[in-house]
């Protein structure tokens, strides 16, 4: 157990729907990162939050949004889902703002039918 | 575009053999190069990392070799064991940056 908790582990939904993925970072970690892992794109950085503030955006679609709450847990919202959004979504956390030591959760596998 | 290129895509090695995975990067501003290990159903886990001021770092059976002039780095797994069967990702970033750029991954299979 890495200490980073992600729910749900698996999610199956239909095109056009909206889902929310949840992440609880490791105790004491202030930074949360979201990554998408797909067969064709590999691990792609989506977005980074530090202590509730958005710090950086990567290859995140406009249909996707995220936030980090005062208790430091984070949610990734995916809307108007398309077949191509099917992927593993990982949350990672770290103590500071640098990406040098990331602890990843086990991921949420999203299947869009 | 992919900032870190990783090869091979997969490799099979006999128990006790050496596994070698190579990565190349373009951005000379990168100053942190970690390797992550991922088992099926799990998230990537940090295995070993190197800064460009050293040419080699060893932790147990895992060694990173770094060639700054060639902008290449590699992971050597010595005395490979079946438990090493996993997908390995190289990555690069600036220590001050927020994100890691990952290679495409290498699936290593160690045959007993």
């Amino acid at each position: 157990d890495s200490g980073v908790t992600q729910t749900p582990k698996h999610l199956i939904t239909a095109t056009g729907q909206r889902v929310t993925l949840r992440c609880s970072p490791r105790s004491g970690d202030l930074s949360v990162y979201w990554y998408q892992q797909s067969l064709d794109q590999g691990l792609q950085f989506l977005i980074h939050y530090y202590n509730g503030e958005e710090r950086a955006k990567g290859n995140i679609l406009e249909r996707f949004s995220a936030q980090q709450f005062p208790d430091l847990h984070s949610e990734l919202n995916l809307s108007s889902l398309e077949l191509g959004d099917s992927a593993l979504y990982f949350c990672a956390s770290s103590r500071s703002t640098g990406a040098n030591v990331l602890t990843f959760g086990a991921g949420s596998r999203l299947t869009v039918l | 575009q992919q900032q870190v290129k990783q090869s091979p895509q997969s490799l099979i090695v006999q128990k006790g053999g050496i596994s070698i995975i190579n990565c190349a990067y373009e951005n000379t501003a990168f100053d942190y190069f970690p390797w992550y290990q991922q088992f099926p159903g799990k998230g990537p886990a940090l295995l070993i990392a190197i800064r460009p001021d050293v040419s080699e770092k060893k932790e147990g059976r895992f060694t990173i070799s770094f060639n700054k002039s060639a902008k290449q780095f590699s992971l050597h797994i010595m005395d490979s064991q079946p438990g090493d069967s996993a997908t390995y990702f190289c990555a690069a970033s600036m220590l001050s940056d927020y994100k890691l750029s990952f290679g495409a991954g290498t699936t290593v299979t160690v045959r007993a």
Side-chain angles (χ1 to χ4, degrees), chain B residues 47-67:
Chain B
L47 183 64
I48 186 173
I50 197 168
R51 297 287 310 279
D53 51 348
V54 297
S55 60
E56 186 175 282
K57 183 175 181 179
K58 183 176 181 180
E59 288 186 4
R61 296 182 294 104
F62 299 90
T63 299
I64 300 178
S65 297
F66 187 83
N67 186 330

Side-chain angles (χ1 to χ4, degrees), chain A residues 32-83:
Chain A
V32 170
Y33 305 79
W34 286 97
Y35 281 80
Q36 179 193 58
Q37 185 177 40
S38 60
L39 284 175
D40 57 341
Q41 295 290 324
L43 271 162
Q44 297 286 320
F45 168 72
L46 295 179
I47 197 164
H48 167 222
Y49 279 84
Y50 175 75
N51 203 21
E53 292 185 7
E54 180 185 305
R55 285 300 184 97
K57 274 186 175 180
N59 302 319
I60 188 167
L61 300 171
E62 286 190 7
R63 300 183 285 108
F64 296 0
S65 64
Q67 58 184 128
Q68 186 179 27
F69 295 86
D71 66 353
L72 301 178
H73 91 270
S74 177
E75 292 181 356
L76 179 66
N77 301 296
L78 315 175
S79 61
S80 302
L81 286 169
E82 302 175 359
L83 296 178

Side-chain angles (χ1 to χ4, degrees), chain B residues 22-112:
Chain B
N22 300 301
C23 286
Y25 63 98
E26 289 297 323
N27 189 345
T28 55
F30 285 151
D31 57 4
Y32 176 71
F33 302 88
W35 285 87
Y36 279 79
Q37 180 188 54
Q38 185 179 24
F39 293 104
K42 303 289 187 182
L46 180 65
L47 183 64
I48 186 173
I50 197 168
R51 297 287 310 279
D53 51 348
V54 297
S55 60
E56 186 175 282
K57 183 175 181 179
K58 183 176 181 180
E59 288 186 4
R61 296 182 294 104
F62 299 90
T63 299
I64 300 178
S65 297
F66 187 83
N67 186 330
K68 188 174 181 178
S69 61
K71 292 187 288 186
Q72 295 176 347
F73 57 111
S74 61
L75 177 70
H76 291 63
I77 307 174
M78 314 299 286
D79 187 25
S80 296
Q81 300 296 312
D84 297 332
S85 296
T87 299
Y88 293 82
F89 294 93
C90 61
S93 77
M94 292 177 282
L95 275 178
S96 59
D97 202 351
Y98 303 109
K99 65 176 184 177
L100 287 168
S101 295
F102 283 90
T106 297
T107 300
V108 174
T109 303
V110 181
R111 298 244 190 260

